[in-house]
Each structure stands twice: as C-alpha cells, then as structure tokens.
Amino acid sequence: MDFRKRLLQRLSQDDIHEICFLTQGTDNDSLKEELYALISDEDVRVSYNALWVFVHFDLSNNRWLYAKHDELIDKAITEKHEGKKRLLLTLLLRQPFECDTLRADFIDFCFETIQSSHESHANRALCMKLAYEQCRFFPELLSELSNCLEIIYTEPLSSGVKTARRNVMKKIQGKIH
C-alpha cells in the first residue's frame, strides 16, 4: 500500500480504521515502520495524517511506539506546528514514563509549555498531564509542578486547561500527603 499517497488526502474515520487494521499485529511491524517514517514527511498533511493514524492505534499496537519514545520526545520538543505537536504529546501520554529514563529537557519543555500563554490550550493541558507523569517519582519535582500550576491559576484559562490543572493538582495532593 502506498501510505504517502493515501495520507496526502483528507482522511475519513473509515480510512483511519483501515490503515490501523492493515498495520495491526507484529507481522505488520514493517508497515508500522513505513507509516512511522511519514510522521517526518515534508508535506504537513502527510505527517499530520500519519500521526493522526497512530493516535487511533489500539493499546496492543500502540506498544510498538514505546521503542520510539525518545524520538517522539525529540519531535515534540522541536515541532512548530501546533496540531502535530498536540498529536505527538497525545502519543507520549499513552506511553509509560519510568523513573530511570526521564529526560530533564522534556520535563523543562512541559513546564515551559504549561506557563506559555502562546501555546494552545490542548498542548498546555497535555503538558500538565505529562509533567505529572514524569514528576510523580520525585516529591521535589511534584512541589515544583504544584507551584507552576499555582502561578497560572491567576490567568484566564479555558475550561479544558482548568480541568486538567484541577485533576493534576488532586493527583499531586494525593502523592504529597
């Protein structure tokens, strides 16, 4: 299948489900790799659509992306396109974060995104959740995250960002006490 040609077009839910079906299972890892290469395509529509398909992977096929963890972080940190950044952050939120493999640059990126009023509401909310997933291992980082979330409390926030903030604060309070 020529994924690139397919991803150049507007995708319907049926298209997404079909591509997910074609790439499911370990026998189709080479097709997943082919699709994964397209998230770096120079055409924004192709790369966006490739990411969009990965967001729709079921849990067992999503595990295939775990090996791409650091690459996805690198892409999220450097991505300028808001929508592609949102999809990359969504993919990262579906991955486990382990205490011994945390990256300071990604934690810093999440904190900066949370505090940036220039970032989209979705990306700020995703970074709150991702920051918690990384900071939960260390009380001092949880305290820093709590302070960061307190600082933005005075800003006018969207309902989605307020909800994400409130939910992360509840999790922090449960860990600290």
Side-chain angles (χ1 to χ4, degrees):
M1 163 174 253
D2 185 357
F3 285 130
R4 188 173 194 288
K5 185 176 178 184
R6 188 87 177 265
L7 297 176
L8 274 167
Q9 303 166 17
R10 183 181 166 105
L11 295 182
S12 68
Q13 276 297 93
D14 288 341
D15 294 326
I16 291 168
H17 292 296
E18 182 183 351
I19 295 170
C20 287
F21 178 77
L22 289 170
T23 58
Q24 74 182 359
T26 55
D27 293 344
N28 291 315
D29 283 355
S30 62
L31 290 176
K32 286 184 195 75
E33 197 65 57
E34 191 180 319
L35 183 63
Y36 183 79
L38 293 172
I39 72 172
S40 299
D41 196 273
E42 68 277 352
D43 186 292
V44 173
R45 176 169 276 196
V46 170
S47 57
Y48 182 89
N49 281 342
L51 286 165
W52 189 236
V53 170
F54 278 113
V55 167
H56 287 84
F57 269 29
D58 63 22
L59 189 59
S60 63
N61 286 291
N62 183 63
R63 284 190 184 100
W64 180 86
L65 284 170
Y66 292 4
K68 309 289 187 190
H69 189 79
D70 280 333
E71 288 177 42
L72 291 171
I73 287 174
D74 291 340
K75 289 182 182 306
I77 289 173
T78 59
E79 184 58 58
K80 301 296 181 225
H81 186 276
E82 287 296 313
K84 286 170 49 177
K85 189 187 303 183
R86 183 187 76 247
L87 293 174
L88 287 162
L89 294 171
T90 301
L91 289 174
L92 286 165
L93 194 55
R94 296 178 72 194
Q95 295 200 350
F97 284 86
E98 303 298 331
C99 179
D100 55 345
T101 59
L102 297 179
R103 289 180 42 180
D105 62 338
F106 189 55
I107 294 171
D108 291 344
F109 168 82
C110 289
F111 274 81
E112 289 168 16
T113 302
I114 291 167
Q115 296 176 50
S116 174
S117 59
H118 302 294
E119 287 287 342
S120 71
H121 299 300
N123 289 348
R124 290 177 81 184
L126 285 164
C127 280
M128 286 178 196
K129 296 172 187 178
L130 284 162
Y132 174 79
E133 288 302 316
Q134 298 170 87
C135 294
R136 65 192 162 102
F137 302 105
F138 306 100
E140 62 277 5
L141 285 178
L142 279 178
S143 178
E144 191 175 331
L145 178 57
S146 179
N147 291 340
C148 174
L149 295 175
E150 287 297 330
I151 289 169
I152 67 163
Y153 184 69
T154 59
E155 293 178 31
L157 301 172
S158 72
S159 59
V161 173
K162 284 180 186 174
T163 300
R165 182 192 168 280
R166 183 176 55 248
N167 290 340
V168 170
M169 288 297 279
K170 283 180 189 174
K171 287 181 178 180
I172 292 171
Q173 295 308 318
K175 280 276 195 187
I176 292 176
H177 295 108

